[in-house]
Amino acid sequence: MAHPGGEPALLLRGHGSETSALHEERLGAVVQALRETGAAAVVDLGCGSGSLLLRLAGDAQFERITGVDTSAVALETARSRLAEAGSEGRVTLAHGSLTDLPPAIDGFDAATLVETIEHIDPGTLSQVERALFGALRPRAVVVTTPNADYNVLYGMVPGERRHADHRFEWGRARFARWATGVAERHGYTVDLRGVGPADALHGSPTQLALFRRAEELA
Ligand SMILES: C[S@@+](CC[C@H](N)C(=O)[O-])C[C@H]1O[C@@H](n2cnc3c(N)ncnc32)[C@H](O)[C@@H]1O
């Protein structure tokens, strides 16, 4: 995908490198969150063309790495990029959907969903929640999604979305409500963070939730 988590207003103004810098920062924040959990086995759900997988493959902490995506094209790109980096053997790629996880996706310490939930029909989010937090129950889950409160700083009008394929974009209060609800329903704690330059009024362009299974922290 050309513009993961795309910030189209920036791109339209020719600030593509800023967008890419934000994605780099976002991936760094996800890796940092994973490091805090000590996870060795990680599944990246909605892995796209493999940007996070490439980072994980270059880090000895991560011993078992799998990427899942509905897009065969994205998976093929991920495969080529991993091969080019000499990391193909470190990563398993699987075609599948968040709403219907492949049976092989089990036994992972952590799952990541980077700029992916907003691509899902909001009507199926509860299905994803049950499959991931209810059935799979990894020790940790890291979710990132655009912060709609920040969109005004991209010159966007209310209700406008950063990418045509986004089914929704949430502000900080809405994301916090969803994340705390998920955590309470499934026995997790959640730590909410901003990624990217923080504006006093609108927060950061990306929001990140680090969920940890509560019993692991007791
Ligand atoms: C914006 S891209 C993010 C890719 C990657 N996580 C990254 O940040 O570089 C969103 C990805 O979610 C995938 N996707 C959308 N719906 C999905 C679903 N139901 N299950 C799994 N992946 C999905 C898309 O194919 C796409 O690769």
Side-chain angles (χ1 to χ4, degrees):
M1 175 150 296
H3 313 306
E7 285 70 41
L10 286 179
L11 292 170
L12 285 172
R13 291 178 191 146
H15 296 170
S17 60
E18 257 181 80
T19 297
S20 145
L22 174 60
H23 197 48
E24 287 301 313
E25 193 171 344
R26 193 183 279 144
L27 296 174
V30 173
V31 173
Q32 168 60 30
L34 288 172
R35 288 192 153 285
E36 290 169 33
T37 70
V42 179
V43 59
D44 186 22
L45 300 170
C47 64
S49 56
S51 301
L52 179 63
L53 300 175
L54 276 163
R55 282 196 175 217
L56 299 181
D59 188 324
Q61 173 178 326
F62 305 108
E63 293 166 7
R64 183 176 164 222
I65 307 161
T66 292
V68 177
D69 205 286
T70 44
S71 164
V73 173
L75 287 171
E76 201 37 57
T77 306
R79 197 179 310 283
S80 305
R81 292 176 76 198
L82 286 161
E84 213 170 286
S87 298
E88 205 179 11
R90 295 258 292 124
V91 179
T92 302
L93 295 173
H95 189 253
S97 173
L98 279 170
T99 52
D100 185 18
L101 290 171
I105 304 305
D106 202 6
F108 287 91
D109 302 320
T112 51
L113 296 90
V114 180
E115 305 300 288
T116 298
I117 61 166
E118 64 275 10
H119 291 265
I120 295 166
D121 182 345
T124 60
L125 258 186
S126 55
Q127 194 181 330
V128 173
E129 176 189 329
R130 280 194 300 275
L132 180 56
F133 293 91
L136 209 58
R137 295 192 63 70
R139 271 191 357 234
V141 178
V142 184
V143 176
T144 77
T145 194
N147 165 23
D149 297 334
Y150 197 89
N151 287 352
V152 66
L153 298 179
Y154 290 140
M156 295 164 65
V157 297
E160 192 180 352
R161 296 182 192 150
R162 296 187 196 180
H163 193 285
D165 194 44
H166 288 179
R167 308 300 166 90
F168 61 89
E169 286 180 3
W170 287 338
R172 289 160 295 172
R174 181 68 187 87
F175 184 56
R177 199 160 73 240
W178 175 78
T180 50
V182 167
E184 279 168 18
R185 285 190 287 278
H186 300 283
Y188 282 75
T189 62
V190 65
D191 178 10
L192 296 165
R193 303 171 182 181
V195 181
D199 176 77
L201 204 54
H202 304 288
S204 296
T206 296
Q207 37 193 353
L208 180 152
L210 168 59
F211 296 90
R212 303 183 76 167
R213 223 164 50 202
E215 74 233 27
E216 305 290 332
L217 303 170

